[in-house]
Amino acid sequence: MSNPSGRTYNQRHAPRRYTRGHRRVSVYTSWSYPGEVNRNPAELDNRFSTMTEVRRVLWPDYETPQWADPLRFQQGVAGSMELFFWAWVKFQQVIEEVTGHQVPMFQRVDQAGFSLPLDERVLSDVDTLLVFGLDHNVTGQVASPEEIEAVRAFLEREGTCLVIGPHHDVGHSPDLAERALEYVHHGDALVPRQQRFGGYTRSLMKGLGIPVENRWGLRPAVVEGTNRSAPLTVMEDLDTRGWLSGVRNFNFHMHLPHYAVTPEDSPSARVLAKQPIDLARPHPFTNAGNTEFNALVWMPPHGGRAGDVLVADSTIFSTLFGADESLLRFWKNLATVH
């Protein structure tokens, strides 16, 4: 059976017409939903939590029937994955209000087993594409040469923007003592001692020549007496497009990746924002003398690439850990900056 259009969350995508001044924004999540859900809960590492584990650790936050009744909400890994979709709704609503276009949510392999490579079904009617690198490396998601070329062609169009972000890389070291140090640093009982993300987005960035790697899972410093992340260190002189205009901070998340530019002196990549780290909790990265991690990297158009590339974590587009006016301003900037 042929699929003439891409499949979004339980429906076929209806292509959007281009309208000047109204950007079309789409999200592509690089996971195999079945590959994540079918991970063995007896395995300690490299999987999402089950909903039962979420309820236990965050008790009593998810004890209402909406989340705890097994006749209403899935209690395995699928349940915790559905929380992602709930938490992305606010971003979709804000962007639709600003642009007049709905924000489709594509998956590489969805709940029903439909496979959707990153091809023209996703790329033909989008101006700003967000690729969320939430696939665990053990599921083996890798961008094909055809997908890399399709995204390269997308970025040859004037006015396009790719926002890409492999999630954190916790516990890459074979040294178990180092993994234990990382675990105490971020302090999230739901994250295992090893949780490595981003195989798909890493392969896509490598194919496109984006010189960035996701490293670690670092806990941001917070404003004293609150759970709000400390203000970003913004390189305003480098942000000539205004991506961070009016943006003071992103939302708090206990384990965020450091987007290392490789090599550090790469002329094509600009680090626009750094996030102060919670230095009260030791970590190999801070023990090496670092006090901030790279939170937002921008590659302006260059050579044959007419579009912009931003490297930013998917957590920035989620309300699981809250969203304030500063974060909403960043979302609106993405929808309006050309």
Side-chain angles (χ1 to χ4, degrees):
M1 184 174 112
S2 63
N3 287 323
S5 59
R7 182 180 170 88
T8 64
Y9 190 59
N10 207 36
Q11 64 181 2
R12 293 276 178 87
H13 174 54
R16 299 156 293 182
R17 290 181 179 272
Y18 172 77
T19 308
R20 181 180 292 275
H22 296 270
R23 298 186 69 78
R24 297 162 296 177
V25 179
S26 296
V27 175
Y28 182 86
T29 304
S30 61
W31 61 33
S32 161
Y33 189 100
E36 301 292 348
V37 168
N38 289 324
R39 293 281 291 144
N40 182 359
E43 294 284 343
L44 295 181
D45 294 330
N46 294 305
R47 66 170 176 85
F48 288 116
S49 305
T50 65
M51 191 62 197
T52 302
E53 290 167 324
V54 170
R55 289 172 52 209
R56 180 184 295 120
V57 170
L58 299 179
W59 189 93
D61 292 352
Y62 288 94
E63 289 309 294
T64 60
Q66 166 65 48
W67 314 110
D69 183 351
L71 297 181
R72 291 185 59 183
F73 202 77
Q74 301 182 81
Q75 297 301 298
V77 172
S80 65
M81 290 183 69
E82 288 302 318
L83 294 180
F84 284 99
F85 291 105
W86 279 84
W88 289 326
V89 167
K90 180 67 173 178
F91 172 73
Q92 292 173 283
Q93 290 173 337
V94 168
I95 298 301
E96 183 175 356
E97 290 170 3
V98 171
T99 67
H101 293 297
Q102 291 187 334
V103 179
M105 185 71 61
F106 299 103
Q107 299 177 75
R108 186 163 176 77
V109 184
D110 72 6
Q111 290 90 332
F114 285 87
S115 178
L116 181 63
L118 197 45
D119 59 22
E120 71 281 355
R121 290 171 290 176
V122 178
L123 298 170
S124 63
D125 77 322
V126 61
D127 304 304
T128 297
L129 174 68
L130 290 83
V131 180
F132 291 166
L134 287 167
D135 54 296
H136 283 87
N137 291 358
V138 294
T139 65
Q141 304 305 306
V142 177
S144 69
E146 292 78 14
E147 289 175 286
I148 293 168
E149 288 308 309
V151 177
R152 192 189 311 278
F154 162 73
L155 288 170
E156 290 174 356
R157 285 170 31 203
E158 291 285 343
T160 55
C161 179
L162 171 66
V163 183
I164 187 169
H167 198 33
H168 64 240
D169 187 10
V170 168
H172 72 278
S173 172
D175 184 345
L176 299 188
E178 184 170 291
R179 293 189 198 179
L181 186 64
E182 290 185 64
Y183 183 78
V184 174
H185 168 78
H186 64 65
D188 187 349
L190 289 170
V191 169
R193 270 65 172 183
Q194 185 181 76
Q195 190 173 40
R196 308 195 66 185
F197 283 105
Y200 180 83
T201 38
R202 272 195 162 200
S203 65
L204 183 58
M205 290 194 297
K206 181 179 180 180
L208 294 172
I210 300 172
V212 178
E213 289 182 359
N214 60 317
R215 296 178 182 172
W216 306 112
L218 297 154
R219 186 183 182 103
V222 298
V223 176
E224 187 174 357
T226 74
N227 62 353
R228 189 172 73 249
S229 292
L232 296 162
T233 300
V234 177
M235 287 61 173
E236 295 183 3
D237 58 325
L238 298 179
D239 187 15
T240 53
R241 194 65 65 82
W243 301 108
L244 292 171
S245 176
V247 178
R248 182 172 179 268
N249 58 270
F250 292 148
N251 51 346
F252 177 76
H253 188 70
M254 286 181 277
H255 25 77
L256 289 167
H258 165 55
Y259 287 126
V261 177
T262 57
E264 292 185 6
D265 59 352
S266 174
S268 62
R270 304 182 188 181
V271 177
L272 297 188
K274 295 189 176 186
Q275 177 68 60
I277 304 169
D278 185 344
L279 300 178
R281 300 164 178 257
H283 186 280
F285 188 64
T286 56
N287 289 348
N290 299 286
T291 60
E292 299 177 310
F293 62 84
N294 296 344
L296 182 67
V297 180
W298 175 37
M299 293 178 62
H302 178 75
R305 177 170 50 78
D308 295 283
V309 174
L310 289 169
V311 183
D313 188 59
S314 59
T315 304
I316 296 173
F317 307 98
S318 167
T319 58
L320 274 178
F321 289 81
D324 61 13
E325 285 303 315
S326 177
L327 187 66
L328 268 59
R329 177 63 184 270
F330 179 62
W331 296 353
K332 293 174 182 177
N333 288 349
L334 282 180
T336 55
V337 169
H338 299 289

